[in-house]
Amino acid sequence: MKKLVLVTMLLSSALLAVAQKHTPKSYIDQFKDDAIKIMHQTGVPASIVLGVAMHESGCGNSTLAQNLNNQFGVKGGGGATFVKHNKVVKTKYKRYQSVYDSFQDFARIMTERSEFSGLAAKFTHTDYTGWARGIQKRGYCSSHTWASQVMGIIKKYHLYNFDENPDAAENQSNQAEIAQNR
């Protein structure tokens, strides 16, 4: 009987692991280049794009992410439909052609909507804490712990490493040059 319970537990664990399409690592590996490209285009930190997307979509495993490529729960666009469990689901959320398009729209919201547009002038692309707190303070979410949760994801997975600091890169370049000349 103990063996049967053990086998059942192992099989259910394996099924749960297979059912989850993305792990945090696979999500980061797959989409970090897109987030960096968005950062260069808009000034929104790559760590914020990835951290918020991971938080809002469960690393791309949410229903919206899976069926609409909507990583941030953005509403609008006339609504969309998708099939889930043989039923047509009508939703008020936007459908995107790709995850990259969802990232671009999030960055557009952060830089063009009046409630968020001041963030780019106030914070650099290396100040993810300022961005997270600013996004929360300006009404992106109703949770009082949202910024802390996003910053926790950024710290846990070292997403801040994607927020290229030009001063640090120049300093590393100078140090490498000095080392070569010795």
Side-chain angles (χ1 to χ4, degrees), residues 2 4 30 52 65 92 126 173-174:
K2 288 181 183 179
L4 179 62
Q30 187 171 356
V52 174
K92 295 178 182 178
T126 59
S173 170
N174 290 341

Side-chain angles (χ1 to χ4, degrees), residues 128-168:
Y128 71 87
T129 59
W131 275 89
R133 290 182 180 134
I135 291 168
Q136 177 181 318
K137 187 176 182 180
R138 295 187 181 186
Y140 182 81
C141 56
S142 59
S143 170
H144 298 292
T145 60
W146 182 89
S148 296
Q149 292 168 347
V150 169
M151 289 186 295
I153 290 169
I154 291 169
K155 290 175 188 173
K156 181 176 183 176
Y157 299 106
H158 308 282
L159 301 180
Y160 49 78
N161 287 329
F162 302 126
D163 300 338
E164 299 161 357
N165 184 345
D167 296 334

Side-chain angles (χ1 to χ4, degrees), residues 30-130:
Q30 187 171 356
F31 299 115
K32 68 182 178 200
D33 292 335
D34 290 341
I36 291 168
K37 185 175 180 181
I38 298 290
M39 176 182 65
H40 288 297
Q41 292 171 348
T42 67
V44 178
S47 62
I48 287 293
V49 174
L50 280 172
V52 174
M54 290 171 70
H55 180 267
E56 298 293 327
S57 72
C59 296
N61 294 307
S62 72
T63 299
L64 293 177
Q66 293 290 311
N67 293 288
L68 305 176
N69 283 322
N70 191 330
Q71 306 299 300
F72 302 94
V74 176
K75 292 183 179 177
T81 60
F82 59 91
V83 177
K84 183 175 182 180
H85 304 298
N86 296 325
K87 292 184 181 179
V88 175
V89 177
K90 294 180 183 178
T91 178
K92 295 178 182 178
Y93 294 94
K94 278 179 124 174
R95 176 185 304 275
Y96 295 97
Q97 292 298 313
S98 66
V99 171
Y100 180 76
D101 290 343
S102 180
F103 284 8
Q104 278 188 311
D105 197 35
F106 173 76
R108 182 194 58 76
I109 290 166
M110 291 298 115
T111 58
E112 294 180 11
R113 281 203 186 156
S114 59
E115 61 265 39
F116 303 109
S117 63
L119 295 175
K122 190 172 183 179
F123 304 111
T124 67
H125 68 277
T126 59
D127 186 3
Y128 71 87
T129 59

